[in-house]
Each structure stands twice: as C-alpha cells, then as structure tokens.
Amino acid sequence: MIDKSKFANKQDLIKHVVANKSELTSLKKSVTKFSDCILHDDTFKIEANKVISNFSSDDLVNGIIKRTIVGNTYGWMDSHDDVHIKGIFTKSISENKDSQFHLHDHLYQLAAKVGTPIKIYEQNINVTDLGLNKIGFATCLLMDTEIKKSYNAMIFEEYLTKQINQHSVGMVYVKLYLCVNDAEYKEEFANWNTYKGSVINLDKAEENGYFWAVTEAKLKEISCVLLGSNELTPTLNGKSEPLTSTHKNNEPDKATQQKQKLSINQSIY
C-alpha cells in the first residue's frame, strides 16, 4: 500500500501513482491479497441482512450444517483502493472448482478447514436485502458450504448460533486497470469513465481521486473472519427445518441435546 501521508496533496499522489503504474500493477499481481477491514460511514449504515438462502439446514446428529455465505460484494472500494468488478471470479470458479476452500482467518492449513464448498457462484442481490442503506443491486460472490463440527467445533457452534457474519476472500489478481478522475491522464481517465458506474461508494473514490478496477482474479479461498473488506459479507438467513431425527418446536429432544452438549464440550475443551 502507498503511504499517502507522504504526499502534500492529492494531485502529487495521483501523479506518483500514474508514473509508477507498471510497478504498482506488478506488485498487486505478485501477492495473494486478503481482504481487510475498512470503515463505513452513516451513509452506508449496515443493518441485519434479509436475504433468504434455500441452502440451509441443521443436521445436528451428524454435525453438519448447510449455509450460504457471502465471500465478497463487488463494487466497494476497499482500503487498498481496489474495486472488484462484476465477473472478477467467473473464470477462476469455472477452472478451479476443486481447489477452493472454506477456511477460517486465511490460514492455509489442514486444521483451518471449517466447511466443504458445495457450490461457488456470483449472483446479483438487492443491496437493501444485504443490509446496505442504499438503493441498487450488487453482485456477490456466494458459497454454498457444508460446515462440519468435525473440522472445528467452536466455529461450527458460532455458525449454528448466527455469530459469524463476516467473510473475506483470498485471491491473486490477474487483470486490473488504474482509474483516475483527471482528464490530464487520458488512458486512466478513460478507465475512470468506464468503471465508475460500478462503484457503490463512489464518493470515497472521488475523494481519493483514483481506484484500481480489478476485472479478473484467481479465487483461492473464502474465510470466516472478524472483519471483512466490507461489512456486506454475511451468512445468509435460511428457512429450512433442522434435520434432527426427533424434534419438537424445531428443537432436538433432550437426549439429543445432551449428546450435542457433551460432544461440543469435549471438542472445545
């Protein structure tokens, strides 16, 4: 990332970015990027999500719950000045169906697996349904996943009790374009006009003076995290009944509850 505090004004910053575009592009492509935390103002106040997923069930006897998670919502300029453009992962999803993972905290370890991806796809969602106080639609990267207690009992319980509502993607950039809001830079200004309509928080991009439009990236994994690159990365709500063998009022019987409690305690402690 560029240390913007070293520049006297926005014009000097933009001049530096354009002059070093090739090097900065190479640097962005050379590393795996993990989405990180950015702050939101009241204009984009986040409320509880309303989207209903059909891929949702709780098989507590076998320790498997099904959920749809949002790995990324496109169109948001993040703290790296990057904006993911619709279709960014389409090619990667098609070509690497068996090499993408549901992890926690971007840890590339066997013990970091929390679920088995069943389907990964991109879908348009009304941003108000995602909890964004703004009119319009955004394309989301979604994962239908089977979260397994045998992988990580604590995270299984967190998903079960709706405590996990933030996710983040690990990716490698393939194609990106520098977009500058200044007609002095002909190519970069043309990119700005091409992609500015895709930016949800355009006011932030205008304040910054530039952004990087990322049109293609290789998806490596989706992780549950404390804070994602934006707050529009929830676990979607579901309507399905729990798939327990015996239940009353959507709750497992006492014997099953006791068995689950003992199993959870033994796994965590």
Side-chain angles (χ1 to χ4, degrees):
M1 291 180 62
I2 297 174
D3 184 356
K4 297 178 182 179
S5 65
K6 293 182 178 180
F7 298 90
N9 51 57
K10 182 166 66 175
Q11 288 71 30
D12 287 347
L13 169 61
I14 292 175
K15 183 177 181 180
H16 170 81
V17 172
V18 174
N20 295 276
K21 179 175 69 172
S22 296
E23 180 181 355
L24 291 170
T25 300
S26 296
L27 287 172
K28 282 179 173 288
K29 288 182 177 180
S30 67
V31 298
T32 299
K33 177 188 173 184
F34 303 114
S35 302
D36 59 1
C37 177
I38 59 176
L39 299 178
H40 299 256
D41 58 29
D42 290 339
T43 304
F44 300 100
K45 183 178 179 182
I46 305 300
E47 300 172 352
N49 74 81
K50 305 172 185 176
V51 174
I52 300 299
S53 167
N54 292 323
F55 190 83
S56 181
S57 63
D58 300 340
D59 185 350
L60 302 183
V61 172
N62 293 305
I64 298 174
I65 58 177
K66 296 180 179 180
R67 294 290 185 270
T68 298
I69 61 176
V70 180
N72 193 250
T73 295
Y74 306 157
W76 194 274
M77 191 183 82
D78 64 20
S79 58
H80 294 269
D81 304 319
D82 298 338
V83 177
H84 298 169
I85 304 301
K86 181 179 179 180
I88 178 176
F89 294 120
T90 303
K91 183 178 180 181
S92 180
I93 292 170
S94 175
E95 294 178 347
N96 303 288
K97 293 181 179 180
D98 298 324
S99 58
Q100 294 154 354
F101 306 97
H102 183 191
L103 308 175
H104 71 80
D105 303 300
H106 298 300
L107 298 176
Y108 284 82
Q109 304 169 2
L110 285 175
K113 293 172 66 175
V114 300
T116 299
I118 302 301
K119 181 181 179 182
I120 301 175
Y121 52 104
E122 298 168 307
Q123 180 175 305
N124 289 337
I125 291 180
N126 192 315
V127 294
T128 58
D129 288 338
L130 283 172
L132 188 62
N133 186 21
K134 188 175 175 68
I135 297 173
F137 288 83
T139 303
C140 294
L141 174 69
L142 303 181
M143 174 189 281
D144 292 344
T145 177
E146 290 186 345
I147 302 160
K148 299 181 180 181
K149 185 178 177 182
S150 60
Y151 283 163
N152 189 310
M154 183 186 73
I155 291 179
F156 176 89
E157 185 71 11
E158 291 277 288
Y159 271 112
L160 183 63
T161 57
K162 301 182 179 180
Q163 299 302 306
I164 294 179
N165 218 32
Q166 290 280 281
H167 298 89
S168 174
V169 291
M171 70 202 119
V172 177
Y173 286 169
V174 177
K175 294 180 182 179
L176 65 160
Y177 303 90
L178 178 59
C179 307
V180 174
N181 189 20
D182 190 330
E184 179 182 348
Y185 307 101
K186 186 176 180 180
E187 179 182 342
E188 292 76 18
F189 185 58
N191 292 339
W192 174 277
N193 288 325
T194 297
Y195 293 108
K196 69 177 182 180
S198 300
V199 185
I200 297 173
N201 53 341
L202 183 59
D203 59 330
K204 295 298 183 183
E206 290 173 338
E207 180 183 347
N208 196 53
Y210 73 95
F211 65 89
W212 297 85
V214 186
T215 61
E216 183 182 342
K218 294 180 180 179
L219 177 66
K220 300 185 71 175
E221 49 88 13
I222 299 177
S223 285
C224 53
V225 293
L226 290 177
L227 290 170
S229 61
N230 62 63
E231 296 183 20
L232 303 180
T233 53
T235 304
L236 302 187
N237 292 325
K239 290 182 176 180
S240 300
E241 293 281 327
L243 298 180
T244 49
S245 58
T246 306
H247 62 86
K248 182 179 181 180
N249 296 327
N250 296 336
E251 293 292 334
D253 58 39
K254 291 183 179 180
T256 302
Q257 287 179 330
Q258 183 64 22
K259 179 180 178 182
Q260 293 160 4
K261 184 176 180 181
L262 287 173
S263 179
I264 291 171
N265 288 340
Q266 290 168 354
S267 299
I268 296 176
Y269 301 104

